[in-house]
Every structure is written in structure tokens, then in C-alpha cells.
């Protein structure tokens, strides 16, 4: 398998499931509303701020 194909397969697994950790962004973020994602708690980053660089 070419490196680019293998890398693409791993990225798809992280976002949509099937990776070695059994965790994926689609399942984790599925029930989060836009308002919840934008909410900051104390000085911590919001969910939206943490996820933005991942999909950029």
C-alpha cells in the first residue's frame, strides 16, 4: 500500500471510526449543539476552539 493511501485510510478511521483506539470524532461530537461547542468553562478552551485546527 502506498504511504498516501495508508495515511488517508488512517485519517478516515480517526474521523469516522475503525481506528485502533475505537474513538472517532463523528461519534463523540454527534450530540453536541453549536451553542454547547461555543461555551467556555472558566479559562478553558471551548470544544469548537479545540476542534477547529483538526478540520482546518
Amino acid at each position: 500500500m502506498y504511504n498516501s493511501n495508508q495515511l488517508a485510510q488512517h485519517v478516515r478511521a480517526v474521523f469516522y471510526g475503525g481506528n485502533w483506539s475505537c474513538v472517532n470524532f463523528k461519534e463523540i461530537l454527534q450530540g453536541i449543539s453549536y451553542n454547547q461547542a461555543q461555551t467556555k468553562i472558566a479559562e478553558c478552551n471551548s470544544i469548537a476552539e479545540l476542534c477547529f485546527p483538526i478540520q482546518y
Side-chain angles (χ1 to χ4, degrees):
M1 180 180 286
Y2 295 106
N3 287 339
S4 59
N5 290 342
Q6 190 173 16
L7 177 61
Q9 181 181 2
H10 285 295
V11 170
R12 276 192 299 274
V14 167
F15 279 93
Y16 302 111
N19 62 344
W20 60 271
S21 68
C22 298
V23 176
N24 63 72
F25 287 107
K26 185 177 179 181
E27 276 184 24
I28 297 298
L29 299 174
Q30 192 169 26
I32 306 289
S33 71
Y34 177 77
N35 288 335
Q36 289 173 321
Q38 292 292 325
T39 303
K40 281 188 159 193
I41 299 175
E43 297 296 319
C44 298
N45 291 328
S46 68
I47 294 170
E49 290 171 329
L50 295 171
C51 291
F52 178 74
I54 295 166
Q55 63 186 26
Y56 183 79

